[in-house]
Amino acid sequence: MQISEILPAEGTKVISSASSKKQLFRSLAEMAGGCFEVDTASVVDALLDRESLGPTGVGHGVALPHARMPGLDRVCGLFLRLKKPLDFNAVDRQPVDLVFALFAPESASVEHLKALALVSRTLRDESVCSKLRSNEDPATLFTILTEHATSQAA
């Protein structure tokens, strides 16, 4: 599995700020509605439900919110870079500025976990995160994410 298989080219965006997790999840929901034709209210609810189990801020300014969604036939992802970091209750208590959200079909099992592991490995790479933080063009962000995973697989 590669990031290019789960992240559509139009699935990357830079936003100036989000005042809360819920507002961030609304931004993700609007993107998901456009990219994957899912109900935006269901996306927000699913992300909030998952977050209530424990924060998905994994540290070093990275969050990996994820949820299972009705109506999907495959694992899908979206990426946001926040110009103003958001408190996300991350494990290291650092605010988050890189957010990669994953959405899986309700019946997904191993594919969801593989996608989560792939994204986690990619965003643990300090050089990738540095490049993502120094760019604001969505097409460039997409290229950084997809080229890194491809070069690692080779």
Side-chain angles (χ1 to χ4, degrees):
M1 175 182 292
Q2 296 184 9
I3 287 183
S4 60
E5 295 173 51
I6 56 176
L7 178 68
E10 68 276 11
T12 59
K13 189 174 179 180
V14 176
I15 60 174
S16 56
S17 68
S19 60
S20 66
K21 281 186 193 182
K22 189 168 188 174
Q23 185 184 19
L24 174 70
F25 292 165
R26 283 189 190 123
S27 295
L28 287 167
E30 288 173 19
M31 289 175 68
C35 290
F36 313 126
E37 299 178 6
V38 292
D39 177 65
T40 57
S42 296
V43 172
V44 173
D45 290 343
L47 289 171
L48 287 171
D49 286 348
R50 168 55 191 89
E51 202 69 20
S52 71
L53 300 175
T56 55
V58 296
H60 304 284
V62 174
L64 303 175
H66 52 281
R68 294 181 188 271
M69 297 292 311
L72 291 177
D73 61 357
R74 63 183 179 82
V75 177
C76 306
L78 299 170
F79 177 79
L80 287 178
R81 185 171 86 71
L82 307 176
K83 288 184 182 180
K84 182 181 175 199
L86 172 67
D87 179 21
F88 215 82
N89 298 324
V91 295
D92 63 357
R93 298 192 172 125
Q94 297 301 309
V96 163
D97 63 341
L98 302 177
V99 179
F100 200 117
L102 286 171
F103 306 98
E106 291 180 306
S107 62
S109 57
V110 170
E111 291 305 308
H112 182 223
L113 297 175
K114 285 181 181 178
L116 199 52
L118 170 65
V119 171
S120 178
R121 273 193 313 273
T122 301
L123 294 178
R124 270 196 309 249
D125 186 315
E126 291 178 27
S127 68
V128 170
C129 290
S130 177
K131 289 176 189 174
L132 291 169
R133 289 182 172 112
S134 64
N135 284 283
E136 292 192 11
D137 176 57
T140 303
L141 298 174
F142 176 79
T143 300
I144 292 166
L145 288 164
T146 56
E147 284 185 350
H148 172 78
T150 302
S151 69
Q152 295 296 313

